[in-house]
Amino acid sequence: MDPAEVEFLAEKEMVKIIPNFSLDKIYLIGGDLGPFNPGLPVEVPVWLALNLKQRQKCRIVPPEWMDTDKLEEIREQERKLDTFTPIPSPYYMELAKLLLNHSADNIPKADEIRTLVKDIWDTRVAKLRLSADSFISQQEAHAQLDNLTLMEINTTRSFLLDSLNYMYKLRSNLQPGRSQDY
Amino acid sequence: MPCERKPMRYGHSEGHTDVCFDDEGKCIVTCGSDGDVRIWESLDDDDPKSINVGEKVYSVALKNGKLVTAVSNNTVQIHTFPEGDPDGILTRFTTNANHVTFNSSGSRVAAGSSDFIVKIVEVVDSSQQKTLRGHDAPVLSVALDPSDEFLASSSCDGSVTVWSIESQTQVAQWKILQKSSDVSNAKSLCRLAWQPRSGKLLAIPVDLTIQLYDRNTWTHVSTLSGDLISQVVNVVVWSPCGKFLAAGTIGGNLLIWDVEAKLCIERQKHEKGFTVCGMAWHPSGGRIAYTDTEGCLGLLEGVSSLSSSSTAAAAKETNDYDDLFDEDDDRMLDEGMSDSRSPVKKPIMEDDDDDDDLMPATGRPRNRGSFLDDDDNSQDPGSVKLDGVPEEDGSSAILPAVGPAVSRPVYEGPMPTQPQRAFQPGSTPVHLMHRFMMWNSVGIVRGYNDDQDNAIDVEFHDTAIHHAMHLTNTLGHTMADLSQEAVLLACEGNNELASKIQCLHFSCWDTHKDWIVDLPKGEDVRALCLGQGWAAVATSALMVRLFSVGGVQKEIFSLPGDVVCMAGHGEQLLIVCHRGTGFDGDQALGIQLLQLGHKRRQVIHGEPLPLSRKSYLAWMDFTAEGTPCCIDSEGVVRMLNRTLGNMWTPVCNTRDSCKSKSDHYWVVGVHENPQQLRCIPCKGARYPPTLPRPAVAVLPFNLLYCQTTTEKGQMEEQYWRSVLFQNHYGFLSSSGYEIDSEGQSRAEKEQQELLMKMFALSCKLEREFRCVELAEMMTHSVVTLAIRYASRSRRMALAQRLSELALEKASQCQEEEQEEEEPAYQRPKTGFQLWLEENRKSILADNPDFEEMDVIKEGMGRFRTLSAEERLNWTERAKGDSDPKKRKREDEGQVDEQMESNEGSTKKKKPLDTSAKLSAFAFNKE
């Protein structure tokens, strides 16, 4: 999976928008959306929200967790604990990127939020690398990692799996050599 | 003699506040958790000077032009007064200071902090500090002895300690307070106070009492209490003369004692019962300013006259009936209601005696009878101006008047309420710098009035109506309304300029999109609204002026009282005005509903508008469907019930949805289909700020029916709600609007379903009488269902009664139908009539002067000339006239037949022919 695909999945998340047009319910395969009343918040998928935003048809209401105080709290928590803390949204990174890129004008303190999300991301990915390292160095058979988001798993999956495969190969090549030693 | 409590006014955002007077008593200085220090020239100063000193201010003290504040960045800062320029940092703590105070000369400042430390700093040289360590918990309050010898401090560790400033040691300590972990958890702020001048006594608020300790022996000399105090005392302050002690409690009680006589001479209650957290005595002793934890500022006026009369009484040690009476009165009021007002001050008689000149001017009731004032300051929270100190110095001002207090009759009846001011529904208060001038279903009008800019922003919810506009507000408009067609703005006049109305008619198709009208001199706009194609303006001359949206002046008419607000929708105009004087906090409002347009009439003729007790009107407008709807300050939403003789039905209480007591919902619109109450949740405020942009929330309606926890109550509520919210269909169709018939039938279906459910429920409960009652509300078709249900559940008696009811309903239905059909009723037409109808025109064309009879005769003649076949054809048509489809098909058949006969059959046409024949056959059979 490449990051674009994960982002595509993230676009299915619902977000609140305040439309500035009037439209009846629309019936889509994924479910009914609307009705759209000007000035009244309505929940739509991110892809639609961004599309409407680009056409200047709505204002996006940032999700509740996209708030400097809450994110700061999460960052502190993340730095304090060794394990991964639960994240308010399974697509926090993708949503933050999408919403901040396209509708920064609707999000108060957009720059701070960008930095905070990046900080959280860095902390988590660093933890992930660390745990992968200890996993390999201790030659464990399995490990459990909770509260990881799809994007985070995705960053390390291909590399980790490939390298484990190679190591396995190398080891199994080593095995017969060792057995000969006996 | 009771003192006068002025209405509270907004001072700061919610949270801890503190208050003090400047040295001359010209200004009140307050600080709040919004980080601002405000300097008020008087209580009704609409534009206090604000100085931002930090994120939060915990305490403020002022002396010799130095304003000292304890700020949340753990510092104690100095600002110059009254300029407000920063003048450096006095001292720092490791956490914030809770209380700062000056000594009597103003040379030293003491501060107590949450890091358990008390510091004493020289104002001129902040490096000269003394630190007092010894408390084991955050320090609540500090007080410097007037002779600069001692310092008293109270702390969360439960102790009150007196320190010697010189040696920095503890002189005395009393463990008399309740322990707590932090200032925020402490029951009381425990503000200490030394008796001014002598410093002989130290007053300490301890739980429900105030204990006085003697300076020389450090022993407890007396306790001021009273069975009247029911809450913990938060703040105590001495009067400048040192004879009186005022206290504020967490329940909002304000008490004043004569210390020598140990007599509680005055009791007042905060109008909302909020915690009093700051109190200050005016240097002349005439008034007390106080603040509460909700950020409001209040004033007690006429304290000195009170003290003088009561001291006189105390000195004479006679039974002063007046005083007793007052106390009794207060107690009674307090037991009765939490929000009592002290009776209006009785006028002071001039011929009393020559001691009159000893009474300070400030003690006079300045606005007793303000409710009779003209409307200019009708809603001003008191029109007190803080004067300078009277001619005499502070001590003489509160010298007791020696003359005996003559008891005079006190007016005890219900007290008149100040009539509420005119407002625009959907706007935030005018005194805000950034405010919503209008938020309605069309869009938002925002007004900015700060140093850089005086502008108005108009924004539409639906950008299809118009793009957003930015206007410079050179005229200083304060009122606005917005409709699909236009923006209407208005400003009040001043000495030079007349009051103006400006209309931006953006939907206009010519190039001149705006017009301005000046009102006659001395007449001011009070309220305005826009309807469809018209605008209405209510003025201070008790008039309503109607304009067309293009600027043509139309009708004017008078109002019976001062306008409160107006609303327009389509051709309806709603006016709320004062009907008279309300009493005991209630408003007396009357409402008029006018139908403009073709059939001009008054629908509601100034009838009283129902509001909750002690509340005022907060919002009034039409729902999107055109039903008047109002909301009072208690959050109760009421809607006009047109089918119940234009009564008002409460449909929702927004306060029920609030999480905390200080939260409010600011309503921006009501919709009946779907049932939505659109509002903006305001945390800890009545009004939303303009930034960050508030988001609209939707609240459901909830009729206040009994027992809505039970299934029965729930369904009853649902049923009547559905009925109520369906009323607008009837109104709309009767006034010729298109209606959403789908929605209407859906609502009717829902009601019938609910009735059926209720029927089933009462059936189950074996309440057969109730079943019949319910069935009476059902339509005929649903009653048959109900009969089936009853018979199936083996309730034959019920089924019997229901079938009687069904018969009755059926006959009623028929009668109604017949009545309806009577005028349209017609005998079946004959073929001739049908033919005549079609050919009447041609006959009339040939013979334009024919009478009806002649036409028929001529027609008869012509009809006879037709062939037999054709005549038969017409009769058949007449038979099938009831069903036009059939006739058409038959016509085709005929034509085809004719074609067949004329041209002979062709193979191509065969299939068509047979079908045509078949249909003709089928019809003939009929």
Side-chain angles (χ1 to χ4, degrees), chain B residues 861-872:
Chain B
R862 289 197 192 185
F863 189 67
R864 275 195 203 119
T865 58
L866 294 175
S867 64
E869 240 179 34
E870 267 177 310
R871 266 185 268 170
L872 190 71

Side-chain angles (χ1 to χ4, degrees), chain B residues 185-409:
Chain B
N185 300 328
K187 277 216 167 150
S188 159
L189 289 175
C190 198
R191 294 278 191 250
L192 310 167
W194 292 92
Q195 190 170 27
R197 282 161 228 233
S198 62
K200 198 166 156 264
L201 295 169
L202 174 66
I204 306 168
V206 180
D207 208 22
L208 302 183
T209 61
I210 299 167
Q211 299 191 355
L212 297 174
Y213 282 80
D214 182 68
R215 174 201 181 85
N216 299 322
T217 56
W218 301 123
T219 50
H220 176 213
V221 282
S222 64
T223 301
L224 295 176
S225 68
D227 36 341
L228 304 180
I229 318 184
S230 52
Q231 300 112 349
V232 177
V233 179
N234 219 11
V235 195
V236 291
V237 278
W238 286 89
S239 72
C241 63
K243 287 196 167 65
F244 304 103
L245 191 65
T249 71
I250 58 164
N253 276 322
L254 299 161
L255 304 114
I256 303 172
W257 278 274
D258 181 327
V259 176
E260 253 172 66
K262 285 208 213 170
L263 196 66
C264 177
I265 54 172
E266 180 58 43
R267 277 173 56 74
Q268 286 283 344
K269 176 96 182 153
H270 183 289
E271 53 186 41
K272 297 250 167 60
F274 295 145
T275 302
V276 175
C277 58
M279 274 180 113
W281 209 302
H282 190 268
S284 77
R287 44 176 89 96
I288 297 176
Y290 60 98
T291 55
D292 62 33
T293 50
E294 301 289 311
C296 291
L297 170 67
L299 198 62
L300 287 181
E301 178 83 354
V303 181
S304 64
S305 63
L306 154 137
S307 39
S308 49
S309 76
S310 80
T311 332
K316 287 180 81 187
E317 291 191 325
T318 52
N319 261 347
D320 188 330
Y321 294 109
D322 202 348
D323 248 326
L324 281 177
F325 200 63
D326 279 346
E327 238 176 70
D328 262 353
D329 179 34
D330 277 349
R331 186 184 302 149
M332 183 202 77
L333 278 171
D334 207 66
E335 279 163 6
M337 42 198 153
S338 61
D339 198 11
S340 64
R341 278 157 183 267
S342 79
V344 166
K345 277 192 72 174
K346 56 203 171 187
I348 298 162
M349 279 181 188
E350 291 303 319
D351 60 346
D352 205 350
D353 47 25
D354 52 357
D355 293 325
D356 247 354
D357 52 351
L358 273 171
M359 304 269 277
T362 45
R364 292 291 165 83
R366 290 183 130 265
N367 67 340
R368 68 185 152 88
S370 62
F371 59 93
L372 295 174
D373 280 0
D374 63 356
D375 50 346
D376 283 31
N377 50 10
S378 58
Q379 217 190 0
D380 270 352
S383 46
V384 204
K385 273 270 171 197
L386 288 186
D387 306 317
V389 197
E391 292 299 302
E392 311 94 329
D393 66 9
S395 58
S396 68
I398 36 85
L399 269 183
V402 192
V406 186
S407 64
R408 305 175 189 94

